[in-house]
Amino acid sequence: MTTVGEHRLLIDGKLVDAASGATFDNINPTTEEVLGVTADGTAADMEAAIAAARRAFDTTTWATDPELRKRCLLQLQAALEGEREELRSELVAEVGCPVLITYGPQLDAPLSEALTWPAEMIDTFAWSRDLGTKDPFGIGETQREVWKEAIGVVGVIVPWNFPVEIILNKLGPVLAMGNTCVLKPAPDTPWNATRIGRLIAEQTDIPPGVVNIVVSSDHLVGEVLTTSPLVDMIAFTGSTATGRRIMAAASDTLKPVFLELGGKSINLVLDDADFAATIPGASSVCFHGGQGCAMPTRLMVPRSRYDESVELALAGFAGVSYGDPTDASNLMGPLVSQKQRERVLGYIESGREQGARVACGGGRPAHLDKGWFVEPTLLVDVDNSMKVAQEEIFGPVLVMIPYEDDDDAVRIANDSPYGLSGAITSGDLDHAKAIARRVRTGTLSLNGGIWYGADAPFGGYKQSGIGRQCGIEGLEMFTQTKTVGWPA
Ligand code: NAD
């Protein structure tokens, strides 16, 4: 598999080195070896990118030419398809993602629709709404309309865990709605983004400046985007802590922020569920090292069946194969960085200190001396007030919490600062739906169903975020509303 990545930034239609000439290393989390380098953008590069996006929005026909936008999105889709296998091996190399998962949510699922669905929606989106006539001041009838328009320059800031998926699910709606943008990828996973930049420059008619991509080893280069008066909106996916900081930074220029943040979602097994068929599957939180914001990391089971449930969960954990992410039989690779590994091990330790029992895993695997691995870990006897139940761990760690009855389950489910996703299983779909209506969360899987799709709004309640990505709601996120009237 090839692992030689694009190192240049995309600014104003050109693939360029950082103005300073500096580069930084891209590290393979499985081997801990340097894969290669990427241009290390600074505030100066970010300012050049913002200026280009501003000029492209203000002086080109991008915002007003839907045919051009549709053609460009479909060209980008075709270009990505052409380098699908290179993207796949790059994701495995720089993210440490198991290759198996690239055939689903990490690559193939978003490639199939993240750009094409918004491109097709350009034709059918409700760009205007007829409000009819009215004479509000008694001086004559007025015809009124509501128009939906691009919002302007969007600063797109993304994390490392599902980089292509998140980038495409942002670029699709942002560009379809007529905006220009500056993308700031995470420094841990730069190459998939810079590859997308090269494909935009070389294989699409996307006008110069419409998409700019600035990678940097310095997180604070992102702050140039959030504070710039030339940027109209921020679309961010990442941690809740950074989301708070971004919201505060954006307040000076009063720009809207769209935030996709962390989660601590439930996997609620109701008392009438088929336990043997359901509970072993809860170990799927370990896939991709648990580095998914929507993973249902709080397994909730009736107290009366707790011991039996622990045994079933342990059986599921025994089946989580992990190690080399290029091996298609592995469900879990390493964590993305040493820092993440230390953070996850710290959480496991805090669980022990607060009285949780480590039923399996709990440390670094003895048989893997390279790579930032953590063993698949099941923490039992967990109370929902413990840190491991309240905070997002972002590692292969499942906590098991007992509940007394349905009301207690709903109480525990909602006793969280987060509300991103979750799963509910019952022998009776109506029972699952009744509980689902009471859980404060943005998405839910009922009886194993999958809510995911470019047409399906995704986002959080409470501190899991503001706004929705994908679906009609996700398109509307990137529009402004203009109301006009003229004599009838
Ligand atoms: P992070 O918040 O540390 O970083 C995300 C991005 O923000 C990176 O590009 C980073 O460079 C940038 N950034 C950091 N500080 C910044 C600042 N002050 N101003 C502007 N930009 C800044 O998150 P991460 O560690 O890369 O990703 C993991 C987190 O992302 C987890 O909490 C996870 O739950 C969350 N996540 C959420 C979703 C979702 O859709 N809700 C999806 C994936 C990941």
Side-chain angles (χ1 to χ4, degrees), residues 293-336:
C293 53
M295 286 178 167
T297 51
R298 284 188 292 156
L299 176 61
M300 295 174 52
V301 297
R303 189 181 296 280
S304 58
R305 299 183 65 179
Y306 194 80
D307 293 344
E308 164 199 353
S309 301
V310 170
E311 292 311 311
L312 288 167
L314 279 171
F317 270 74
V320 178
S321 51
Y322 65 99
D324 178 2
T326 65
D327 177 343
S329 67
N330 281 330
L331 298 165
M332 184 181 124
L335 301 189
V336 77

Side-chain angles (χ1 to χ4, degrees), residues 43 74 77 84 130 181 213 228 234 259 266-267 334 346 382 391 401 413 448 451 465 469-470:
L74 297 179
Q77 162 79 17
R84 179 193 289 260
D130 184 354
C181 68
I213 302 178
S228 171
I234 296 294
L259 303 175
I266 54 159
N267 184 349
V382 173
E391 297 185 14
I401 303 168
W451 45 260
Q469 178 168 290
C470 298

Side-chain angles (χ1 to χ4, degrees), residues 126-144:
W127 292 102
S128 67
R129 190 165 85 244
D130 184 354
L131 290 180
T133 59
K134 203 169 193 164
D135 181 10
F137 305 136
I139 54 174
E141 289 288 314
T142 289
Q143 170 67 46
R144 292 133 341 118

Side-chain angles (χ1 to χ4, degrees), residues 239-276:
S239 63
T240 293
T242 305
R244 273 189 207 106
R245 189 164 173 169
I246 283 176
M247 198 167 173
S251 70
D252 266 355
T253 48
L254 289 175
K255 46 173 82 66
V257 289
F258 162 41
L259 303 175
E260 296 281 1
L261 308 175
K264 192 75 192 181
S265 302
I266 54 159
N267 184 349
L268 172 56
V269 182
L270 293 171
D271 55 4
D272 56 2
D274 180 342
F275 279 37

Side-chain angles (χ1 to χ4, degrees), residues 127-132 142-148 481-486:
W127 292 102
S128 67
R129 190 165 85 244
D130 184 354
L131 290 180
T142 289
Q143 170 67 46
R144 292 133 341 118
E145 270 183 14
V146 177
W147 295 347
K148 293 288 179 185
T481 300
K482 183 178 281 172
T483 309
V484 293
W486 59 88

Side-chain angles (χ1 to χ4, degrees), residues 17-34:
D17 290 322
S20 68
T23 60
F24 70 101
D25 291 341
N26 188 4
I27 313 275
N28 180 327
T30 311
T31 62
E32 301 178 30
E33 284 164 5
V34 176

